[in-house]
Structure formats: structure tokens, C-alpha cells
Amino acid sequence: MSDIAETATTDERRDRGGRFVIGGKPGPGRPLGARSKLGEAFLEDLRDAWNEHGIEALRRCATEDPSQFCRIIANLLPRDIDINLTGSIDVADFATRFRTAVELLGNQPPQQPKMKTIEHKATTNARKPA
Amino acid sequence: MPVSQREVDELKAAGERMSLDDADTTLQSVAEIIAFQVYQCRHLGADQAEVLHDIELLARAAEFNKSELRAARDVLRALNYRLPSLSC
């Protein structure tokens, strides 16, 4: 009985080509937690099996098939190490902060000394212009 | 480790290979250039000896004159930079 009802419901949700129709009622979906429970059970079994046979499996692999053993170890190593450290340095930002610090300390870069002017007064001995 | 003439020549050659269009003119004074070099070295984790090595290499390759270096030294000292090799 329930199978018939399920089929009828499914038929209402699909068109002749089997595609979902717009505005159709959604299905009941997966029961809450069903997939995660399966995954958790698998991982528990895997852990138990590993605890029992893991070390022996590794030893046999290392002695009987060293190349496979090396491949396993190689797969555990990180594939890409990012050593690019220069990307975050911003020259303009640094220059702005440096100039601000110099100004705060009142240490402007030394300017070229100005030429001294010689002040003088005209004397009676000075030659008069012609 | 002292700066070798080979290192200076290599840096000079690298600078000469650069196009003028690629030149960054953000840093204007020698003090700013040296300070940025120090900042960059420290950012990369260089120790004090490596920083001083790079500053000396930069100063020799760029051929800063003594008055420029003295002015830079005064500014950097005021900002508490410890650069004993800048004794000109």
C-alpha cells in the first residue's frame, strides 16, 4: 500500500520524461543522520581493524613490497610548500609610515646649507657708478 | 660573511638589465631605501648579520656617495636603527 502511495507521489513530482516539475512536492529525503551514522560505523570498524592488524600490515608491506611502502610514505608528505613570503610587503605603505615616523621625530633629512650672503654698506671709498 | 666583489657585480648587472619602466620610484631618499631593505630582510627572517650584509651589498652596488650615506645614517639613527656598518 505504501509502495503504491510512494509511486503516486513520485509520479506527481515528475513529468513524462521523468524530470522533476516546477512546484512539485519535495521528497521525504534521507533520514536525519543516516549517512553520518554509516560513516561513523565504518570508521569505528576501520579503527578496530587498524589497531589489530595495522602494524603488522605495515611491516609486511615494508619487507615484501618496499616500493609500495615508499609510495605510501611519499603520499603522506605535503605536495606543495609555499615559501613565497615577499607578497605582503607594500613599498608605498612602508614609505608612508617611514616618512610619518621621521616627521614625528622632527628629523627631516638634512638640507643643503644655504649660501651665505655678505651684507655690506656702501662706504665713501666705494666706486660710484659712472 | 663579508660582501664579495662578485656579489656587487652581480647585483649591478641585475640592476642594469632592468628597464627604466620597471624602476620603482616610491622610495625617494637613501634613508628610505636602506630602511626598506632592513624591513624586507627582517620580514624574511634574516638575522642582524644578514641584514648588515645586504645593506653593505646594496650601498656598494648602488654606489651611494658618502654625503648621502651620512644623511641616511643620521635619519636612521634617530629612528633607532642599529646599523654599525653605516660608519662613513
Side-chain angles (χ1 to χ4, degrees):
Chain A
M1 180 68 182
S2 63
D3 288 346
I4 295 169
E6 181 78 19
T7 307
T9 309
T10 304
D11 289 342
E12 284 171 15
R13 286 187 279 128
R14 294 176 185 267
D15 62 10
R16 284 184 180 178
R19 291 171 297 192
F20 286 104
V21 294
I22 296 170
K25 292 178 183 174
R30 169 175 61 83
L32 199 64
R35 187 176 294 171
S36 61
K37 279 181 183 169
L38 178 65
E40 284 167 13
F42 174 77
L43 287 174
E44 281 177 19
D45 293 345
L46 184 65
R47 187 182 58 201
D48 290 343
W50 179 256
N51 286 339
E52 194 175 341
H53 304 291
I55 187 74
E56 180 57 28
L58 280 177
R59 282 190 180 130
R60 283 185 59 188
C61 183
T63 53
E64 294 174 12
D65 192 355
S67 61
Q68 179 63 21
F69 187 73
C70 289
R71 271 197 291 275
I72 294 168
I73 301 300
N75 281 332
L76 292 174
L77 298 175
R79 300 202 178 275
D80 187 24
I81 301 170
D82 185 11
I83 55 169
N84 182 14
L85 297 172
T86 57
S88 61
I89 299 179
D90 182 16
V91 183
D93 180 50
F94 172 82
T96 305
R97 284 188 284 129
F98 185 83
R99 285 166 198 158
T100 305
V102 171
E103 283 173 17
L104 283 172
L105 286 170
N107 287 301
Q108 294 295 337
Q111 304 292 322
Q112 292 293 329
K114 291 181 180 176
M115 295 292 286
K116 286 184 180 176
T117 54
I118 302 172
E119 294 181 5
H120 63 280
K121 291 179 183 176
T123 60
T124 52
N125 294 332
R127 187 186 289 177
K128 290 180 181 175
Chain B
M1 192 176 70
V3 175
S4 68
Q5 188 57 41
R6 186 178 156 219
E7 285 178 292
V8 175
D9 293 341
E10 280 177 0
L11 187 56
K12 267 187 186 176
E16 286 163 5
R17 279 197 299 272
M18 279 179 65
S19 161
L20 285 177
D21 294 335
D22 296 332
D24 189 343
T25 56
T26 309
L27 302 174
Q28 292 169 356
S29 67
V30 174
E32 287 179 3
I33 293 168
I34 292 174
F36 182 72
Q37 181 72 28
V38 172
Y39 177 73
Q40 199 171 31
C41 286
R42 287 178 182 165
H43 184 79
L44 293 170
D47 60 21
Q48 180 73 355
E50 290 168 327
V51 172
L52 294 175
H53 173 274
D54 284 8
I55 297 302
E56 185 183 341
L57 176 59
L58 172 71
R60 284 175 58 179
E63 295 178 355
F64 296 138
N65 64 45
K66 284 194 172 182
S67 64
E68 287 174 326
L69 280 173
R70 279 193 205 104
R73 180 195 58 192
D74 294 342
V75 172
L76 294 172
R77 271 187 186 166
L79 290 169
N80 208 23
Y81 280 75
R82 292 173 188 169
L83 299 170
S85 63
L86 272 184
S87 53
C88 37

